[in-house]
Structures are given as structure tokens and as C-alpha cells.
């Protein structure tokens, strides 16, 4: 079972949930920018949540399926079509052999996730199939996909086969979908201003009172220099009480560093392992998808949250995901 890339899109890479356990050797985690959308796409095709899939950015690829497949798309809406017919997101879709999946304009968000029943079968590098572009490892030959690439799919699990039978009851054109779809609070939405909750960082007190106030009261804009490594923001200049060198320390996804120019950087999936810039705050886990789906020019306002609140929201999201998993499983019984 395989699929062929006719056109690669702007940036299409293979990602699983990341390369963990190697930070001490200087090897970054990588993985999806929007982890929730990644996990949801896999869930909708019966895969393990960690299975490798495609992360597509702004402009999606054109793909021909060389065998019958079960697919699902989540995250940003890049206007997917199959053989010219609009195809819904956030639900399983059975695709017949020879069908062509294409994408149009970017309606909401900027990253979409395409899961295939059985996952994408590429060699693991340090226990992960994720693409690390700068090091040229993982994924498909360590790079973004290009025209002519042929991707091999893994053997579909039993849940995939049950979902296929559910879809086939309503075959239309060269594809069929379930009558149900997933409704989630994490679905990508565009708005005039994105509110992102953060906990204060270890160097928050080193910033002036005026800068602390600006950070939580004024709006920042995502710049065009943002990528998988980090989102660079432009807005009010944030100043420290005293400029001094800091010892580099381990960093995590969502860490907000402030370099000498006073403009924050939100570190994302391809972040470095350590950093020496002061950390003013950390984006809470449940709001990371908001950043991952923010386009250049998007307005962001930060809202302070306590660690206790961040934990409560994380647990609530985990429960929501487990409830969805159970509901989808029951649909195939």
C-alpha cells in the first residue's frame, strides 16, 4: 500500500510524536507543531496516536493513492478535495485506489494533518520517524517531500478495518465518509485576536514593571520570520532591569525567550535543546495549538495562568480526548 506525491506543497513533512530521550546528546525532539491535531488524525483512522503522518503547511500537496486507504484530516483547513469534490475534515474518509487528494486555499489555521490507516512506514531514526530538517534525519530521507516521492503505508490495525466498513456504507464518487465527525474545542479557528495563556517564567522578575505590564496588556504580532523552531513576535519592547549574561539552561516547547532586541520568541517543535536568553513566560500545553496554527500577521495577547490552572486544563483536555477515543471505538461496534 502506498501513495505518490504529485506536488509537494509548501512544506510537507512526515512527523510522529517526536524523538524523545536524546536531548542530553543535543538531538531535538521535533514532532508535530500541533500535537493535538496529530493525535486526533491518527485516532480517526484507528492508528496508535504516535503513528507517523503528514504535516502540511499553508499549501497542501497533491497525492494519488495507489491502493484503497482510510484517511483523516485535522488542524488547519486547507480546502481538501478528492477528484475535485470537497471532502470533510475531522472524520474518517475511505478513499478508493487511483483517487487524487488536492488542497486549495488556506481557510483557517496554517497547518493540516493527514493520517493514513496503518501510518506512514519510513525507517526510524533514534526511535522516531519524525523529520528533523536541519539535521536531515528521519522522515523521508531527512527532508520535506518533493514531487515523485512514493510513501509506503503500514499494515492497517483492526480498528482501521472496522472504520472502513463503516465508511463504505455511503460511498460517493471515489470516496466515502462516516455520517459523524469530531467536534472538539481544539479545532483550528481564525479570529481577530488570539488569547494565549501562559505561566510566568524563571526570569520574569528580571523584567521591569513596565515591561511586565506590557507583556500582559498589549498585543504582539506573529512575524514572517516564524518557523518550526520558533515564532518571532513583534510588539512593545520588553526590557530587563539589568542586562547580564545568563547561563544556558534546558528549554521546553512553549518557552518564551526575550533576546536583546526585546521582541519575544516562542519556542516550538524544532526548538534547540538549551537557551541563554531570559525566559519571561511559558505557553501552557493546551494553548500550544493556538500558536501552531497562527499565521504571520496574527495578533496575540498573553493572559496569565497559574500552574494549578494549567494542570487542570491539561487534565480536562486529556479526559476529552479519552472520551472521544471511546466514542469513536463504539461507533464501530
Amino acid at each position: 500500500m502506498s501513495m505518490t506525491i504529485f506536488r509537494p506543497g509548501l512544506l510537507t513533512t512526515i512527523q510522529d510524536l517526536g524523538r524523545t530521550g536524546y536531548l542530553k546528546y543535543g538531538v531535538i525532539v521535533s514532532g508535530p507543531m500541533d500535537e493535538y491535531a496529530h493525535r486526533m488524525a491518527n485516532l480517526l483512522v484507528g492508528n496508535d496516536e504516535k503513528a507517523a503522518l503528514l504535516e502540511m503547511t499553508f499549501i497542501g500537496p497533491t497525492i494519488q493513492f495507489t491502493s484503497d486507504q482510510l484517511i483523516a484530516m485535522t488542524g488547519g483547513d486547507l480546502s481538501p478535495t478528492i477528484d475535485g469534490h470537497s471532502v470533510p475534515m475531522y472524520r474518517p474518509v475511505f478513499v478508493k485506489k487511483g483517487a487524487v487528494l488536492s488542497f486549495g486555499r488556506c481557510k483557517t489555521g496554517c497547518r493540516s494533518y493527514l493520517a493514513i490507516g496503518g501510518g506512514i512506514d519510513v525507517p526510524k531514526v533514534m526511535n522516531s520517524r519524525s523529520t528533523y530538517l536541519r539535521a536531515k534525519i528521519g522522515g523521508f530521507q531527512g527532508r520535506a517531500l518533493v514531487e515523485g516521492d512514493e510513501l509506503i503505508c503500514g499494515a492497517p490495525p483492526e480498528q482501521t478495518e472496522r472504520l472502513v466498513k463503516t465508511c463504505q456504507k455511503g460511498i460517493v464518487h471515489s470516496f466515502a465518509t462516516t455520517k459523524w465527525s469530531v467536534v472538539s474545542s481544539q479545532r483550528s479557528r481564525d479570529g481577530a485576536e488570539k488569547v494565549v495563556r501562559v505561566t510566568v517564567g524563571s526570569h520574569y522578575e528580571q523584567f521591569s514593571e513596565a515591561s511586565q505590564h506590557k507583556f500582559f496588556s498589549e498585543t504582539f504580532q506573529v512575524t514572517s520570520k516564524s518557523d518550526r523552531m520558533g515564532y518571532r513576535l513583534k510588539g512593545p519592547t520588553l526590557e530587563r532591569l539589568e542586562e547580564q549574561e545568563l547561563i544556558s539552561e534546558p528549554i521546553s516547547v512553549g518557552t518564551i525567550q526575550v533576546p536583546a532586541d526585546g521582541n519575544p520568541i516562542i519556542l516550538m517543535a524544532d526548538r534547540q535543546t538549551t537557551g541563554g536568553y531570559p525566559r519571561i513566560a511559558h505557553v501552557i500545553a493546551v494553548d500550544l495549538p493556538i500558536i501552531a496554527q497562527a499565521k504571520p500577521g496574527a495578533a496575540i495577547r498573553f493572559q496569565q495562568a497559574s500552574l494549578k490552572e494549567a494542570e487542570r486544563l491539561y487534565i480536562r483536555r486529556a479526559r476529552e480526548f479519552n472520551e472521544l477515543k471511546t466514542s469513536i471505538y463504539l461507533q464501530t461496534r
Side-chain angles (χ1 to χ4, degrees), residues 197-208:
R197 291 163 291 191
V198 301
T199 57
V200 297
S202 55
H203 302 124
Y204 179 75
E205 296 299 332
Q206 293 187 15
F207 288 85
S208 68

Side-chain angles (χ1 to χ4, degrees), residues 232-252:
R232 292 181 175 270
L233 308 181
K234 183 179 180 180
T237 301
L238 304 177
E239 299 176 339
R240 296 163 69 193
L241 294 169
E242 180 182 349
E243 290 298 328
Q244 56 181 320
E245 292 293 325
L246 297 175
I247 297 174
S248 291
E249 300 176 8
I251 53 177
S252 62

Side-chain angles (χ1 to χ4, degrees), residues 27 29 31 40 50-51 58 65 76 85 90 97 108 112 137 143 147 173 195 206 215 218 247 253 287 292 325 328:
V27 180
V29 176
M40 181 61 65
K50 300 177 182 178
F58 285 110
F65 297 96
H85 300 280
Y90 283 91
K97 176 182 178 180
T108 62
S112 190
I137 62 174
R143 58 168 171 76
E147 182 180 344
H173 306 298
V195 177
Q206 293 187 15
F215 183 74
E218 298 193 29
I247 297 174
V253 60
D287 282 358
K325 185 185 296 186
I328 291 172

Side-chain angles (χ1 to χ4, degrees), residues 148-206:
D149 286 343
E150 185 172 343
L151 305 181
I152 305 300
C153 304
E158 290 183 12
Q159 177 68 353
T160 299
E161 299 292 350
R162 288 193 286 265
L163 286 165
V164 166
K165 291 178 181 179
T166 303
C167 290
Q168 286 177 326
K169 296 176 183 177
I171 190 77
V172 178
H173 306 298
S174 53
F175 68 94
T177 73
T178 57
K179 295 181 180 179
W180 51 266
S181 64
V182 169
V183 177
S184 169
S185 61
Q186 295 293 318
R187 291 180 72 156
S188 177
R189 295 179 177 88
D190 284 348
E193 183 177 88
K194 299 178 183 297
V195 177
V196 176
R197 291 163 291 191
V198 301
T199 57
V200 297
S202 55
H203 302 124
Y204 179 75
E205 296 299 332
Q206 293 187 15

Side-chain angles (χ1 to χ4, degrees), residues 14-22 28-32 35 38 49-52 125-131 228 269-271:
I14 296 171
Q15 302 290 342
D16 59 17
L17 286 185
R19 191 166 283 106
T20 57
Y22 297 92
I28 69 171
V29 176
S30 294
E35 182 181 315
H38 178 288
E49 297 168 30
K50 300 177 182 178
V125 178
M126 287 176 272
N127 297 321
S128 173
R129 294 184 170 91
S130 281
T131 309
R228 279 182 50 88
D270 283 354
R271 64 200 178 277

Side-chain angles (χ1 to χ4, degrees), residues 37-103:
H38 178 288
R39 294 171 62 203
M40 181 61 65
N42 274 320
L43 178 62
L44 287 168
V45 295
N47 288 345
D48 183 277
E49 297 168 30
K50 300 177 182 178
L53 48 57
L54 296 186
E55 179 181 88
M56 306 167 290
T57 307
F58 285 110
I59 301 173
T62 299
I63 301 170
Q64 182 174 46
F65 297 96
T66 54
S67 59
D68 292 351
Q69 297 285 3
L70 185 70
I71 68 171
M73 288 164 286
T74 60
D77 186 350
L78 306 187
S79 304
T81 62
I82 294 177
D83 292 342
H85 300 280
S86 179
V87 58
M89 298 180 61
Y90 283 91
R91 69 179 68 190
V93 180
F94 172 71
V95 185
K96 297 190 72 174
K97 176 182 178 180
V100 175
L101 172 65
S102 304
F103 295 86

